[in-house]
Amino acid sequence: GQQVMQIPQYQHVQEGEDFTTYCNSSTTLSNIQWYKQRPGGHPVFLIQLVKSGEVKKQKRLTFQFGEAKKNSSLHITATQTTDVGTYFCAAGGYQKVTFGTGTKLQVIP
Amino acid sequence: KAGVTQTPRYLIKTRGQQVTLSCSPISGHRSVSWYQQTPGQGLQFLFEYFSETQRNKGNFPGRFSGRQFSNSRSEMNVSTLELGDSALYLCASSLRGGSSYEQYFGPGTRLTVT
């Protein structure tokens, strides 16, 4: 079945540093979604990417979908303490979504 | 619009017992998915229901079952509980489900099996 890996598993950054998490699929995807889960909370939808090579920005967050539609990345510029949480990618296949393993981000003030 | 609600929020059960969890989706959403979240395994997909039919199923034993009612509310049942079933169970609703629509998660039910 479809496998979705995210790296790194954990990341500690100083406040103000940048952060990137990568999502890799073993198969070509129809789309990719990103979610954020704050500590003690539930996953919250951030964005969906559909087109090959697509890049979308939300304030300090930049999302990319690979040209081959097999990988994606989320980049946060100048992290803040409010960025703390676990970031999940969710790979869209045929009628099914597979969540990645998640990257837990800690921001040191 | 009210968000996704799950009841109960916390539950403690004993090995061998069974449990039923409930999920009320966002009004108008017809798809409900269930996930098991544990620290070591991340978000594991259990199943998805759309218009009262199970559309997708994850790799969980038959002890895990679910159903969806005509008002889109969904229940999940786990029979013969095992210690390893302790987890946060999340349900997520979506307009039409599948991979094209974003999912809205509920707060989860924290199940502890002793």
Side-chain angles (χ1 to χ4, degrees), chain A residues 30-31 33 35 37 41-45 48 88 92-93 95-97 99-101, chain B residues 35 37 42-43 45 48 55-57 88 90 98-103 105-107:
Chain A
S30 57
N31 60 51
Q33 298 173 350
Y35 292 78
Q37 184 174 21
H42 55 272
V44 173
F45 174 80
Q48 175 169 280
F88 293 96
Q95 284 196 333
K96 191 176 174 182
V97 169
F99 276 81
T101 46
Chain B
Y35 296 86
Q37 187 172 37
L43 271 169
F45 172 74
E48 181 203 0
R55 184 156 67 176
N56 281 304
K57 190 177 189 308
L88 178 67
L90 292 159
S99 62
S100 300
Y101 296 87
E102 62 263 34
Q103 297 186 64
F105 284 81

PDB file of all heavy atoms in Angstrom, chain A residues 30-31 33 35 37 41-45 48 88 92-93 95-97 99-101, chain B residues 35 37 42-43 45 48 55-57 88 90 98-103 105-107:
ATOM      1  N   SER A  30      -2.477  12.346  -6.016  1.00  0.00           N
ATOM      2  CA  SER A  30      -3.439  13.225  -6.674  1.00  0.00           C
ATOM      3  C   SER A  30      -3.378  14.619  -6.040  1.00  0.00           C
ATOM      4  O   SER A  30      -3.598  15.622  -6.712  1.00  0.00           O
ATOM      5  CB  SER A  30      -4.849  12.654  -6.566  1.00  0.00           C
ATOM      6  OG  SER A  30      -5.189  12.446  -5.206  1.00  0.00           O
ATOM      7  N   ASN A  31      -3.089  14.660  -4.768  1.00  0.00           N
ATOM      8  CA  ASN A  31      -2.936  15.940  -4.082  1.00  0.00           C
ATOM      9  C   ASN A  31      -2.225  15.704  -2.763  1.00  0.00           C
ATOM     10  O   ASN A  31      -1.967  14.550  -2.388  1.00  0.00           O
ATOM     11  CB  ASN A  31      -4.286  16.608  -3.832  1.00  0.00           C
ATOM     12  CG  ASN A  31      -5.208  15.761  -2.974  1.00  0.00           C
ATOM     13  OD1 ASN A  31      -4.835  15.295  -1.903  1.00  0.00           O
ATOM     14  ND2 ASN A  31      -6.426  15.555  -3.428  1.00  0.00           N
ATOM     15  N   GLN A  33      -2.210  17.346   1.385  1.00  0.00           N
ATOM     16  CA  GLN A  33      -2.729  18.292   2.355  1.00  0.00           C
ATOM     17  C   GLN A  33      -1.752  18.377   3.525  1.00  0.00           C
ATOM     18  O   GLN A  33      -1.000  17.440   3.792  1.00  0.00           O
ATOM     19  CB  GLN A  33      -4.105  17.821   2.878  1.00  0.00           C
ATOM     20  CG  GLN A  33      -5.173  17.721   1.803  1.00  0.00           C
ATOM     21  CD  GLN A  33      -6.459  17.095   2.320  1.00  0.00           C
ATOM     22  OE1 GLN A  33      -6.513  16.561   3.422  1.00  0.00           O
ATOM     23  NE2 GLN A  33      -7.517  17.185   1.529  1.00  0.00           N
ATOM     24  N   TYR A  35      -1.524  19.465   7.731  1.00  0.00           N
ATOM     25  CA  TYR A  35      -2.265  19.716   8.954  1.00  0.00           C
ATOM     26  C   TYR A  35      -1.283  20.061  10.072  1.00  0.00           C
ATOM     27  O   TYR A  35      -0.142  19.608  10.073  1.00  0.00           O
ATOM     28  CB  TYR A  35      -3.066  18.472   9.379  1.00  0.00           C
ATOM     29  CG  TYR A  35      -4.203  18.117   8.457  1.00  0.00           C
ATOM     30  CD1 TYR A  35      -3.971  17.465   7.246  1.00  0.00           C
ATOM     31  CD2 TYR A  35      -5.511  18.428   8.793  1.00  0.00           C
ATOM     32  CE1 TYR A  35      -5.019  17.140   6.395  1.00  0.00           C
ATOM     33  CE2 TYR A  35      -6.569  18.099   7.949  1.00  0.00           C
ATOM     34  CZ  TYR A  35      -6.309  17.466   6.757  1.00  0.00           C
ATOM     35  OH  TYR A  35      -7.351  17.143   5.920  1.00  0.00           O
ATOM     36  N   GLN A  37      -1.046  20.049  14.369  1.00  0.00           N
ATOM     37  CA  GLN A  37      -1.651  19.633  15.632  1.00  0.00           C
ATOM     38  C   GLN A  37      -0.863  20.264  16.774  1.00  0.00           C
ATOM     39  O   GLN A  37       0.303  19.928  16.998  1.00  0.00           O
ATOM     40  CB  GLN A  37      -1.653  18.102  15.751  1.00  0.00           C
ATOM     41  CG  GLN A  37      -2.363  17.589  16.996  1.00  0.00           C
ATOM     42  CD  GLN A  37      -2.475  16.065  17.007  1.00  0.00           C
ATOM     43  OE1 GLN A  37      -1.733  15.363  16.321  1.00  0.00           O
ATOM     44  NE2 GLN A  37      -3.412  15.528  17.770  1.00  0.00           N
ATOM     45  N   GLY A  41      -3.980  19.119  21.317  1.00  0.00           N
ATOM     46  CA  GLY A  41      -5.088  19.467  20.427  1.00  0.00           C
ATOM     47  C   GLY A  41      -5.325  18.422  19.356  1.00  0.00           C
ATOM     48  O   GLY A  41      -4.830  17.301  19.444  1.00  0.00           O
ATOM     49  N   HIS A  42      -6.088  18.796  18.362  1.00  0.00           N
ATOM     50  CA  HIS A  42      -6.379  17.896  17.271  1.00  0.00           C
ATOM     51  C   HIS A  42      -5.838  18.502  15.974  1.00  0.00           C
ATOM     52  O   HIS A  42      -5.605  19.712  15.904  1.00  0.00           O
ATOM     53  CB  HIS A  42      -7.890  17.663  17.159  1.00  0.00           C
ATOM     54  CG  HIS A  42      -8.695  18.922  17.040  1.00  0.00           C
ATOM     55  ND1 HIS A  42      -9.146  19.615  18.132  1.00  0.00           N
ATOM     56  CD2 HIS A  42      -9.102  19.606  15.947  1.00  0.00           C
ATOM     57  CE1 HIS A  42      -9.813  20.681  17.726  1.00  0.00           C
ATOM     58  NE2 HIS A  42      -9.797  20.695  16.407  1.00  0.00           N
ATOM     59  N   PRO A  43      -5.627  17.679  14.950  1.00  0.00           N
ATOM     60  CA  PRO A  43      -5.094  18.207  13.687  1.00  0.00           C
ATOM     61  C   PRO A  43      -6.036  19.240  13.081  1.00  0.00           C
ATOM     62  O   PRO A  43      -7.261  19.062  13.082  1.00  0.00           O
ATOM     63  CB  PRO A  43      -4.994  16.956  12.802  1.00  0.00           C
ATOM     64  CG  PRO A  43      -4.895  15.819  13.760  1.00  0.00           C
ATOM     65  CD  PRO A  43      -5.751  16.209  14.922  1.00  0.00           C
ATOM     66  N   VAL A  44      -5.433  20.302  12.552  1.00  0.00           N
ATOM     67  CA  VAL A  44      -6.193  21.367  11.904  1.00  0.00           C
ATOM     68  C   VAL A  44      -5.652  21.538  10.489  1.00  0.00           C
ATOM     69  O   VAL A  44      -4.445  21.626  10.282  1.00  0.00           O
ATOM     70  CB  VAL A  44      -6.059  22.695  12.686  1.00  0.00           C
ATOM     71  CG1 VAL A  44      -6.717  23.833  11.922  1.00  0.00           C
ATOM     72  CG2 VAL A  44      -6.681  22.562  14.070  1.00  0.00           C
ATOM     73  N   PHE A  45      -6.557  21.578   9.536  1.00  0.00           N
ATOM     74  CA  PHE A  45      -6.195  21.698   8.127  1.00  0.00           C
ATOM     75  C   PHE A  45      -5.492  23.031   7.865  1.00  0.00           C
ATOM     76  O   PHE A  45      -5.937  24.088   8.328  1.00  0.00           O
ATOM     77  CB  PHE A  45      -7.462  21.588   7.277  1.00  0.00           C
ATOM     78  CG  PHE A  45      -7.247  21.846   5.810  1.00  0.00           C
ATOM     79  CD1 PHE A  45      -6.723  20.858   4.996  1.00  0.00           C
ATOM     80  CD2 PHE A  45      -7.579  23.066   5.252  1.00  0.00           C
ATOM     81  CE1 PHE A  45      -6.542  21.082   3.638  1.00  0.00           C
ATOM     82  CE2 PHE A  45      -7.408  23.310   3.904  1.00  0.00           C
ATOM     83  CZ  PHE A  45      -6.880  22.310   3.095  1.00  0.00           C
ATOM     84  N   GLN A  48      -4.125  22.688   0.898  1.00  0.00           N
ATOM     85  CA  GLN A  48      -4.105  21.569  -0.034  1.00  0.00           C
ATOM     86  C   GLN A  48      -3.375  22.006  -1.303  1.00  0.00           C
ATOM     87  O   GLN A  48      -3.602  23.107  -1.811  1.00  0.00           O
ATOM     88  CB  GLN A  48      -5.528  21.119  -0.376  1.00  0.00           C
ATOM     89  CG  GLN A  48      -5.577  20.036  -1.439  1.00  0.00           C
ATOM     90  CD  GLN A  48      -6.937  19.408  -1.594  1.00  0.00           C
ATOM     91  OE1 GLN A  48      -7.322  18.545  -0.802  1.00  0.00           O
ATOM     92  NE2 GLN A  48      -7.673  19.835  -2.601  1.00  0.00           N
ATOM     93  N   PHE A  88       1.672  17.409  10.002  1.00  0.00           N
ATOM     94  CA  PHE A  88       1.408  16.191   9.241  1.00  0.00           C
ATOM     95  C   PHE A  88       1.119  16.529   7.788  1.00  0.00           C
ATOM     96  O   PHE A  88       0.380  17.470   7.500  1.00  0.00           O
ATOM     97  CB  PHE A  88       0.168  15.461   9.780  1.00  0.00           C
ATOM     98  CG  PHE A  88       0.310  14.880  11.144  1.00  0.00           C
ATOM     99  CD1 PHE A  88      -0.137  15.576  12.257  1.00  0.00           C
ATOM    100  CD2 PHE A  88       0.854  13.619  11.327  1.00  0.00           C
ATOM    101  CE1 PHE A  88      -0.034  15.035  13.536  1.00  0.00           C
ATOM    102  CE2 PHE A  88       0.964  13.062  12.592  1.00  0.00           C
ATOM    103  CZ  PHE A  88       0.522  13.781  13.695  1.00  0.00           C
ATOM    104  N   GLY A  92      -2.947  12.323  -0.834  1.00  0.00           N
ATOM    105  CA  GLY A  92      -4.196  11.938  -1.478  1.00  0.00           C
ATOM    106  C   GLY A  92      -3.963  10.924  -2.576  1.00  0.00           C
ATOM    107  O   GLY A  92      -3.248  11.202  -3.538  1.00  0.00           O
ATOM    108  N   GLY A  93      -4.564   9.746  -2.382  1.00  0.00           N
ATOM    109  CA  GLY A  93      -4.509   8.724  -3.422  1.00  0.00           C
ATOM    110  C   GLY A  93      -5.900   8.533  -3.962  1.00  0.00           C
ATOM    111  O   GLY A  93      -6.737   9.441  -3.869  1.00  0.00           O
ATOM    112  N   GLN A  95      -9.358   7.945  -3.747  1.00  0.00           N
ATOM    113  CA  GLN A  95     -10.423   7.937  -2.743  1.00  0.00           C
ATOM    114  C   GLN A  95      -9.920   7.735  -1.313  1.00  0.00           C
ATOM    115  O   GLN A  95     -10.678   7.316  -0.454  1.00  0.00           O
ATOM    116  CB  GLN A  95     -11.441   6.828  -3.052  1.00  0.00           C
ATOM    117  CG  GLN A  95     -12.380   7.184  -4.199  1.00  0.00           C
ATOM    118  CD  GLN A  95     -13.599   6.279  -4.232  1.00  0.00           C
ATOM    119  OE1 GLN A  95     -13.549   5.139  -3.779  1.00  0.00           O
ATOM    120  NE2 GLN A  95     -14.695   6.776  -4.763  1.00  0.00           N
ATOM    121  N   LYS A  96      -8.649   7.987  -1.083  1.00  0.00           N
ATOM    122  CA  LYS A  96      -8.108   7.690   0.235  1.00  0.00           C
ATOM    123  C   LYS A  96      -7.021   8.688   0.594  1.00  0.00           C
ATOM    124  O   LYS A  96      -6.287   9.170  -0.273  1.00  0.00           O
ATOM    125  CB  LYS A  96      -7.525   6.275   0.221  1.00  0.00           C
ATOM    126  CG  LYS A  96      -7.174   5.726   1.579  1.00  0.00           C
ATOM    127  CD  LYS A  96      -6.689   4.286   1.434  1.00  0.00           C
ATOM    128  CE  LYS A  96      -6.201   3.769   2.762  1.00  0.00           C
ATOM    129  NZ  LYS A  96      -5.684   2.398   2.654  1.00  0.00           N
ATOM    130  N   VAL A  97      -6.944   8.998   1.863  1.00  0.00           N
ATOM    131  CA  VAL A  97      -5.899   9.893   2.354  1.00  0.00           C
ATOM    132  C   VAL A  97      -5.009   9.116   3.310  1.00  0.00           C
ATOM    133  O   VAL A  97      -5.504   8.420   4.196  1.00  0.00           O
ATOM    134  CB  VAL A  97      -6.520  11.102   3.084  1.00  0.00           C
ATOM    135  CG1 VAL A  97      -5.446  11.883   3.814  1.00  0.00           C
ATOM    136  CG2 VAL A  97      -7.246  11.999   2.104  1.00  0.00           C
ATOM    137  N   PHE A  99      -1.982   9.636   6.055  1.00  0.00           N
ATOM    138  CA  PHE A  99      -1.232  10.626   6.809  1.00  0.00           C
ATOM    139  C   PHE A  99       0.221  10.210   6.959  1.00  0.00           C
ATOM    140  O   PHE A  99       0.532   9.025   7.141  1.00  0.00           O
ATOM    141  CB  PHE A  99      -1.856  10.825   8.196  1.00  0.00           C
ATOM    142  CG  PHE A  99      -2.987  11.796   8.191  1.00  0.00           C
ATOM    143  CD1 PHE A  99      -4.253  11.403   7.795  1.00  0.00           C
ATOM    144  CD2 PHE A  99      -2.793  13.115   8.569  1.00  0.00           C
ATOM    145  CE1 PHE A  99      -5.309  12.301   7.773  1.00  0.00           C
ATOM    146  CE2 PHE A  99      -3.836  14.024   8.552  1.00  0.00           C
ATOM    147  CZ  PHE A  99      -5.095  13.619   8.152  1.00  0.00           C
ATOM    148  N   GLY A 100       1.097  11.202   6.878  1.00  0.00           N
ATOM    149  CA  GLY A 100       2.505  10.965   7.135  1.00  0.00           C
ATOM    150  C   GLY A 100       2.737  10.773   8.617  1.00  0.00           C
ATOM    151  O   GLY A 100       1.837  10.925   9.440  1.00  0.00           O
ATOM    152  N   THR A 101       3.972  10.452   8.943  1.00  0.00           N
ATOM    153  CA  THR A 101       4.343  10.147  10.314  1.00  0.00           C
ATOM    154  C   THR A 101       4.439  11.394  11.190  1.00  0.00           C
ATOM    155  O   THR A 101       4.462  11.288  12.404  1.00  0.00           O
ATOM    156  CB  THR A 101       5.683   9.408  10.322  1.00  0.00           C
ATOM    157  OG1 THR A 101       6.586  10.091   9.435  1.00  0.00           O
ATOM    158  CG2 THR A 101       5.513   7.979   9.823  1.00  0.00           C
TER     159      THR A 101
ATOM    160  N   TYR B  35      -9.669   7.770  13.177  1.00  0.00           N
ATOM    161  CA  TYR B  35      -8.227   7.558  13.276  1.00  0.00           C
ATOM    162  C   TYR B  35      -7.874   7.190  14.707  1.00  0.00           C
ATOM    163  O   TYR B  35      -8.504   7.654  15.658  1.00  0.00           O
ATOM    164  CB  TYR B  35      -7.449   8.825  12.904  1.00  0.00           C
ATOM    165  CG  TYR B  35      -7.619   9.259  11.474  1.00  0.00           C
ATOM    166  CD1 TYR B  35      -8.677  10.067  11.096  1.00  0.00           C
ATOM    167  CD2 TYR B  35      -6.696   8.864  10.503  1.00  0.00           C
ATOM    168  CE1 TYR B  35      -8.832  10.475   9.779  1.00  0.00           C
ATOM    169  CE2 TYR B  35      -6.836   9.263   9.191  1.00  0.00           C
ATOM    170  CZ  TYR B  35      -7.909  10.069   8.832  1.00  0.00           C
ATOM    171  OH  TYR B  35      -8.048  10.467   7.530  1.00  0.00           O
ATOM    172  N   GLN B  37      -4.703   7.524  17.280  1.00  0.00           N
ATOM    173  CA  GLN B  37      -3.425   8.216  17.430  1.00  0.00           C
ATOM    174  C   GLN B  37      -2.730   7.774  18.703  1.00  0.00           C
ATOM    175  O   GLN B  37      -3.276   7.879  19.793  1.00  0.00           O
ATOM    176  CB  GLN B  37      -3.612   9.736  17.441  1.00  0.00           C
ATOM    177  CG  GLN B  37      -2.284  10.491  17.432  1.00  0.00           C
ATOM    178  CD  GLN B  37      -2.437  11.973  17.242  1.00  0.00           C
ATOM    179  OE1 GLN B  37      -3.368  12.581  17.749  1.00  0.00           O
ATOM    180  NE2 GLN B  37      -1.508  12.572  16.488  1.00  0.00           N
ATOM    181  N   GLY B  42       1.693   7.419  15.442  1.00  0.00           N
ATOM    182  CA  GLY B  42       1.128   8.528  14.681  1.00  0.00           C
ATOM    183  C   GLY B  42      -0.363   8.367  14.458  1.00  0.00           C
ATOM    184  O   GLY B  42      -1.073   7.780  15.269  1.00  0.00           O
ATOM    185  N   LEU B  43      -0.817   8.875  13.329  1.00  0.00           N
ATOM    186  CA  LEU B  43      -2.244   8.829  12.978  1.00  0.00           C
ATOM    187  C   LEU B  43      -2.507   7.611  12.106  1.00  0.00           C
ATOM    188  O   LEU B  43      -2.107   7.573  10.951  1.00  0.00           O
ATOM    189  CB  LEU B  43      -2.634  10.083  12.200  1.00  0.00           C
ATOM    190  CG  LEU B  43      -3.094  11.306  12.957  1.00  0.00           C
ATOM    191  CD1 LEU B  43      -3.171  12.496  12.026  1.00  0.00           C
ATOM    192  CD2 LEU B  43      -4.458  11.055  13.590  1.00  0.00           C
ATOM    193  N   PHE B  45      -5.208   5.279  10.167  1.00  0.00           N
ATOM    194  CA  PHE B  45      -6.555   5.316   9.602  1.00  0.00           C
ATOM    195  C   PHE B  45      -7.308   4.041   9.955  1.00  0.00           C
ATOM    196  O   PHE B  45      -6.814   2.926   9.723  1.00  0.00           O
ATOM    197  CB  PHE B  45      -6.452   5.486   8.090  1.00  0.00           C
ATOM    198  CG  PHE B  45      -7.744   5.358   7.352  1.00  0.00           C
ATOM    199  CD1 PHE B  45      -8.686   6.365   7.400  1.00  0.00           C
ATOM    200  CD2 PHE B  45      -8.010   4.225   6.602  1.00  0.00           C
ATOM    201  CE1 PHE B  45      -9.881   6.259   6.705  1.00  0.00           C
ATOM    202  CE2 PHE B  45      -9.200   4.098   5.904  1.00  0.00           C
ATOM    203  CZ  PHE B  45     -10.132   5.120   5.950  1.00  0.00           C
ATOM    204  N   GLU B  48     -13.499   4.878   6.882  1.00  0.00           N
ATOM    205  CA  GLU B  48     -14.249   6.042   6.445  1.00  0.00           C
ATOM    206  C   GLU B  48     -15.656   5.614   6.063  1.00  0.00           C
ATOM    207  O   GLU B  48     -15.848   4.578   5.414  1.00  0.00           O
ATOM    208  CB  GLU B  48     -13.601   6.710   5.236  1.00  0.00           C
ATOM    209  CG  GLU B  48     -14.361   7.954   4.771  1.00  0.00           C
ATOM    210  CD  GLU B  48     -14.126   8.316   3.319  1.00  0.00           C
ATOM    211  OE1 GLU B  48     -13.374   7.622   2.622  1.00  0.00           O
ATOM    212  OE2 GLU B  48     -14.714   9.327   2.881  1.00  0.00           O
ATOM    213  N   ARG B  55     -16.563   3.155   3.104  1.00  0.00           N
ATOM    214  CA  ARG B  55     -15.944   3.333   1.793  1.00  0.00           C
ATOM    215  C   ARG B  55     -14.484   2.877   1.789  1.00  0.00           C
ATOM    216  O   ARG B  55     -13.976   2.426   0.771  1.00  0.00           O
ATOM    217  CB  ARG B  55     -16.042   4.786   1.369  1.00  0.00           C
ATOM    218  CG  ARG B  55     -15.524   5.057  -0.012  1.00  0.00           C
ATOM    219  CD  ARG B  55     -16.139   6.303  -0.602  1.00  0.00           C
ATOM    220  NE  ARG B  55     -15.743   7.504   0.085  1.00  0.00           N
ATOM    221  CZ  ARG B  55     -16.108   8.726  -0.318  1.00  0.00           C
ATOM    222  NH1 ARG B  55     -16.856   8.872  -1.378  1.00  0.00           N
ATOM    223  NH2 ARG B  55     -15.724   9.790   0.351  1.00  0.00           N
ATOM    224  N   ASN B  56     -13.817   3.026   2.921  1.00  0.00           N
ATOM    225  CA  ASN B  56     -12.414   2.620   3.031  1.00  0.00           C
ATOM    226  C   ASN B  56     -12.175   2.045   4.408  1.00  0.00           C
ATOM    227  O   ASN B  56     -12.842   2.423   5.377  1.00  0.00           O
ATOM    228  CB  ASN B  56     -11.478   3.814   2.831  1.00  0.00           C
ATOM    229  CG  ASN B  56     -11.299   4.157   1.381  1.00  0.00           C
ATOM    230  OD1 ASN B  56     -10.894   3.319   0.582  1.00  0.00           O
ATOM    231  ND2 ASN B  56     -11.618   5.392   1.019  1.00  0.00           N
ATOM    232  N   LYS B  57     -11.190   1.158   4.476  1.00  0.00           N
ATOM    233  CA  LYS B  57     -10.875   0.533   5.752  1.00  0.00           C
ATOM    234  C   LYS B  57      -9.369   0.422   5.898  1.00  0.00           C
ATOM    235  O   LYS B  57      -8.665   0.084   4.930  1.00  0.00           O
ATOM    236  CB  LYS B  57     -11.510  -0.856   5.811  1.00  0.00           C
ATOM    237  CG  LYS B  57     -11.455  -1.514   7.174  1.00  0.00           C
ATOM    238  CD  LYS B  57     -12.183  -2.864   7.141  1.00  0.00           C
ATOM    239  CE  LYS B  57     -12.346  -3.469   8.523  1.00  0.00           C
ATOM    240  NZ  LYS B  57     -11.108  -3.554   9.300  1.00  0.00           N
ATOM    241  N   LEU B  88      -5.723   7.904  21.597  1.00  0.00           N
ATOM    242  CA  LEU B  88      -6.657   8.984  21.307  1.00  0.00           C
ATOM    243  C   LEU B  88      -7.362   8.616  20.004  1.00  0.00           C
ATOM    244  O   LEU B  88      -6.706   8.352  18.995  1.00  0.00           O
ATOM    245  CB  LEU B  88      -5.913  10.307  21.142  1.00  0.00           C
ATOM    246  CG  LEU B  88      -6.764  11.534  20.796  1.00  0.00           C
ATOM    247  CD1 LEU B  88      -7.683  11.893  21.971  1.00  0.00           C
ATOM    248  CD2 LEU B  88      -5.879  12.721  20.433  1.00  0.00           C
ATOM    249  N   LEU B  90      -9.685   9.815  17.080  1.00  0.00           N
ATOM    250  CA  LEU B  90     -10.121  11.047  16.441  1.00  0.00           C
ATOM    251  C   LEU B  90     -11.082  10.728  15.312  1.00  0.00           C
ATOM    252  O   LEU B  90     -10.858   9.788  14.551  1.00  0.00           O
ATOM    253  CB  LEU B  90      -8.918  11.797  15.851  1.00  0.00           C
ATOM    254  CG  LEU B  90      -7.922  12.379  16.855  1.00  0.00           C
ATOM    255  CD1 LEU B  90      -6.584  12.629  16.187  1.00  0.00           C
ATOM    256  CD2 LEU B  90      -8.458  13.663  17.463  1.00  0.00           C
ATOM    257  N   GLY B  98     -12.979  11.117   0.671  1.00  0.00           N
ATOM    258  CA  GLY B  98     -11.975  10.818  -0.336  1.00  0.00           C
ATOM    259  C   GLY B  98     -10.749  11.659  -0.103  1.00  0.00           C
ATOM    260  O   GLY B  98     -10.460  12.080   1.014  1.00  0.00           O
ATOM    261  N   SER B  99     -10.027  11.968  -1.150  1.00  0.00           N
ATOM    262  CA  SER B  99      -8.766  12.684  -0.992  1.00  0.00           C
ATOM    263  C   SER B  99      -8.848  14.148  -1.416  1.00  0.00           C
ATOM    264  O   SER B  99      -7.885  14.883  -1.281  1.00  0.00           O
ATOM    265  CB  SER B  99      -7.690  11.983  -1.816  1.00  0.00           C
ATOM    266  OG  SER B  99      -8.034  12.016  -3.194  1.00  0.00           O
ATOM    267  N   SER B 100      -9.987  14.586  -1.912  1.00  0.00           N
ATOM    268  CA  SER B 100     -10.054  15.939  -2.477  1.00  0.00           C
ATOM    269  C   SER B 100     -10.531  17.004  -1.502  1.00  0.00           C
ATOM    270  O   SER B 100     -10.448  18.185  -1.801  1.00  0.00           O
ATOM    271  CB  SER B 100     -10.971  15.943  -3.699  1.00  0.00           C
ATOM    272  OG  SER B 100     -10.468  15.068  -4.682  1.00  0.00           O
ATOM    273  N   TYR B 101     -11.041  16.599  -0.384  1.00  0.00           N
ATOM    274  CA  TYR B 101     -11.647  17.554   0.537  1.00  0.00           C
ATOM    275  C   TYR B 101     -10.927  17.540   1.871  1.00  0.00           C
ATOM    276  O   TYR B 101     -10.573  16.489   2.391  1.00  0.00           O
ATOM    277  CB  TYR B 101     -13.120  17.218   0.753  1.00  0.00           C
ATOM    278  CG  TYR B 101     -13.937  17.355  -0.502  1.00  0.00           C
ATOM    279  CD1 TYR B 101     -14.043  16.285  -1.396  1.00  0.00           C
ATOM    280  CD2 TYR B 101     -14.591  18.539  -0.810  1.00  0.00           C
ATOM    281  CE1 TYR B 101     -14.772  16.410  -2.559  1.00  0.00           C
ATOM    282  CE2 TYR B 101     -15.327  18.670  -1.971  1.00  0.00           C
ATOM    283  CZ  TYR B 101     -15.418  17.601  -2.842  1.00  0.00           C
ATOM    284  OH  TYR B 101     -16.135  17.726  -3.997  1.00  0.00           O
ATOM    285  N   GLU B 102     -10.758  18.740   2.446  1.00  0.00           N
ATOM    286  CA  GLU B 102     -10.085  18.811   3.733  1.00  0.00           C
ATOM    287  C   GLU B 102     -10.947  18.165   4.805  1.00  0.00           C
ATOM    288  O   GLU B 102     -12.173  18.109   4.698  1.00  0.00           O
ATOM    289  CB  GLU B 102      -9.763  20.262   4.123  1.00  0.00           C
ATOM    290  CG  GLU B 102     -10.955  21.161   4.289  1.00  0.00           C
ATOM    291  CD  GLU B 102     -11.233  21.973   3.031  1.00  0.00           C
ATOM    292  OE1 GLU B 102     -11.001  21.452   1.919  1.00  0.00           O
ATOM    293  OE2 GLU B 102     -11.684  23.116   3.196  1.00  0.00           O
ATOM    294  N   GLN B 103     -10.251  17.682   5.831  1.00  0.00           N
ATOM    295  CA  GLN B 103     -10.944  17.038   6.938  1.00  0.00           C
ATOM    296  C   GLN B 103     -10.933  17.964   8.149  1.00  0.00           C
ATOM    297  O   GLN B 103      -9.955  18.650   8.423  1.00  0.00           O
ATOM    298  CB  GLN B 103     -10.247  15.718   7.283  1.00  0.00           C
ATOM    299  CG  GLN B 103     -10.291  14.707   6.133  1.00  0.00           C
ATOM    300  CD  GLN B 103      -9.732  13.368   6.531  1.00  0.00           C
ATOM    301  OE1 GLN B 103     -10.259  12.683   7.398  1.00  0.00           O
ATOM    302  NE2 GLN B 103      -8.642  12.976   5.900  1.00  0.00           N
ATOM    303  N   PHE B 105     -11.264  17.823  12.137  1.00  0.00           N
ATOM    304  CA  PHE B 105     -11.159  16.855  13.221  1.00  0.00           C
ATOM    305  C   PHE B 105     -11.914  17.305  14.466  1.00  0.00           C
ATOM    306  O   PHE B 105     -12.002  18.509  14.767  1.00  0.00           O
ATOM    307  CB  PHE B 105      -9.691  16.644  13.598  1.00  0.00           C
ATOM    308  CG  PHE B 105      -8.933  15.785  12.627  1.00  0.00           C
ATOM    309  CD1 PHE B 105      -8.426  16.317  11.455  1.00  0.00           C
ATOM    310  CD2 PHE B 105      -8.738  14.430  12.884  1.00  0.00           C
ATOM    311  CE1 PHE B 105      -7.729  15.522  10.542  1.00  0.00           C
ATOM    312  CE2 PHE B 105      -8.038  13.639  11.993  1.00  0.00           C
ATOM    313  CZ  PHE B 105      -7.542  14.179  10.824  1.00  0.00           C
ATOM    314  N   GLY B 106     -12.424  16.311  15.178  1.00  0.00           N
ATOM    315  CA  GLY B 106     -13.006  16.554  16.482  1.00  0.00           C
ATOM    316  C   GLY B 106     -11.918  16.558  17.536  1.00  0.00           C
ATOM    317  O   GLY B 106     -10.753  16.282  17.233  1.00  0.00           O
ATOM    318  N   PRO B 107     -12.281  16.827  18.792  1.00  0.00           N
ATOM    319  CA  PRO B 107     -11.291  16.904  19.863  1.00  0.00           C
ATOM    320  C   PRO B 107     -10.745  15.544  20.289  1.00  0.00           C
ATOM    321  O   PRO B 107      -9.726  15.471  20.959  1.00  0.00           O
ATOM    322  CB  PRO B 107     -12.056  17.564  21.011  1.00  0.00           C
ATOM    323  CG  PRO B 107     -13.476  17.221  20.744  1.00  0.00           C
ATOM    324  CD  PRO B 107     -13.628  17.162  19.268  1.00  0.00           C
TER     325      PRO B 107
END
